[in-house]
Amino acid sequence: MVKVKVINKGRQPLPAYATPQSAGMDLRANIDNPVTLRPLERKLVPTGLYMALPEGYEAQIRPRSGLALKHGLTVLNSPGTIDSDYRGEVMVLLVNLSGEDFTVNAGERIAQMVIARHETAELEEAVQLDDTERGAGGYGHTGVK
């Protein structure tokens, strides 16, 4: 288990895992007044949280499946990445992909946050890559069935 220092300047409780095997913690809207997103509109929604992630870790901000399914609300740059050297407020970039307005209320669970380890890569320039069965096959390459 990794320890993450968090300052909560909001009025909502700290994020927590809903069950012992949950991968993500729900993030809540820390707003004074309801925020309405019209169809196809996007807005940054504050959480009131500031974090110091250990080096080698990131926080991934992901949509909540229920909001996506029922209301077409999702995280626009999903997953959003919070780097370990970022010290600003954690904000969630929401977009309404439905045909109806959606109102976010104070304390509403708007996204989930997954803390994940990552590697730092050293890119090595090459003139040729090894062959694979897939090769350069991209989108739709493996077919429908």
Side-chain angles (χ1 to χ4, degrees):
M1 179 174 296
V2 62
K3 302 272 187 187
V4 177
K5 292 181 180 179
V6 178
I7 295 174
N8 186 355
K9 294 184 180 180
R11 294 173 301 285
Q12 310 308 323
L14 282 179
Y17 296 102
T19 67
Q21 294 181 340
S22 293
M25 300 175 261
D26 287 333
L27 295 175
R28 296 178 181 272
N30 185 58
I31 51 180
D32 294 324
N33 299 303
V35 172
T36 299
L37 287 97
R38 295 185 307 269
L40 300 179
E41 187 176 22
R42 59 192 181 272
K43 290 187 179 176
L44 272 175
V45 180
T47 66
L49 302 173
Y50 299 75
M51 299 186 306
L53 292 160
E55 187 174 340
Y57 286 85
E58 67 169 322
Q60 299 174 358
I61 310 302
R62 301 177 180 188
R64 293 194 66 241
S65 58
L67 286 178
L69 175 65
K70 296 173 187 172
H71 304 287
L73 196 71
T74 191
V75 176
L76 189 56
N77 61 326
S78 182
T81 293
I82 308 289
D83 294 309
S84 63
D85 59 351
Y86 176 69
R87 294 297 182 266
E89 182 175 8
V90 174
M91 306 279 277
V92 178
L93 180 55
L94 293 178
V95 63
N96 180 0
L97 298 178
S98 78
E100 300 176 7
D101 288 358
F102 183 85
T103 300
V104 176
N105 295 298
E108 188 165 357
R109 296 178 298 158
I110 56 170
Q112 56 182 324
M113 177 174 66
V114 173
I115 306 298
R117 180 178 275 289
H118 69 83
E119 295 294 327
T120 300
E122 180 180 341
L123 299 183
E124 183 178 311
E125 220 172 318
V127 294
Q128 186 175 346
L129 303 176
D130 58 316
D131 291 328
T132 66
E133 182 179 335
R134 180 177 180 172
Y139 295 97
H141 173 71
T142 57
V144 178
K145 295 182 180 185

